Amino acid sequence: MMHMTSTKITWIEGAIVEDEVHMSIVEISQAVRAPEDLILSWVSEGVLSPAGSSPEDWRFSGDSLKRAKTAAHLTHDLELNTPGVALALDLLDEIARLRNQLLREHLG
């Protein structure tokens, strides 16, 4: 029982840290193993929304890192192009939103 609790605490701490991440385009490119030009296309397509005015100044959050990991997975495994990745992520977001809404209604 004790082991499960410590695992959960570790995960929560990891999630909090990840939300505070501010990565450059180079760092996010390396983290998700996707070329920088692909990251650029994801930003122009609205898949990722970094802070900053130009690619040199961009800073990506922990949420962007999660989205970029999913985008990389969709690109590599399903061979989706950038508009396809954008659509898939929008649909995944909508599914999550609807699940949360159902959960709230069920609990309320």
Side-chain angles (χ1 to χ4, degrees):
M1 190 65 176
M2 190 69 167
H3 180 70
M4 284 175 65
T5 306
S6 65
T7 305
K8 191 173 184 184
I9 290 167
T10 306
W11 181 83
I12 290 168
E13 285 171 359
I16 291 165
V17 169
E18 197 165 273
D19 286 341
E20 293 169 359
V21 168
H22 298 288
M23 303 176 88
S24 68
I25 188 168
V26 175
E27 291 167 329
I28 204 161
S29 166
Q30 291 168 348
V32 302
R33 296 188 182 89
E36 284 178 43
D37 60 348
L38 189 54
I39 308 285
L40 283 166
S41 72
W42 290 342
V43 171
S44 67
E45 198 68 36
V47 171
L48 302 175
S49 305
S53 51
S54 66
E56 298 79 36
D57 302 325
W58 283 348
R59 288 299 172 266
F60 296 87
S61 65
D63 187 51
S64 286
L65 177 60
K66 287 180 208 135
R67 286 180 72 83
K69 282 179 182 171
T70 305
H73 167 73
L74 292 166
T75 302
H76 297 148
D77 297 359
L78 302 181
E79 297 178 8
L80 291 181
N81 61 12
T82 299
V85 167
L87 176 63
L89 280 166
D90 285 348
L91 292 172
L92 289 169
D93 287 346
E94 182 67 4
I95 290 166
R97 192 187 65 76
L98 291 169
R99 273 195 187 131
N100 289 335
Q101 189 180 332
L102 281 171
L103 198 61
R104 279 195 305 273
E105 288 171 7
H106 182 69
L107 293 172

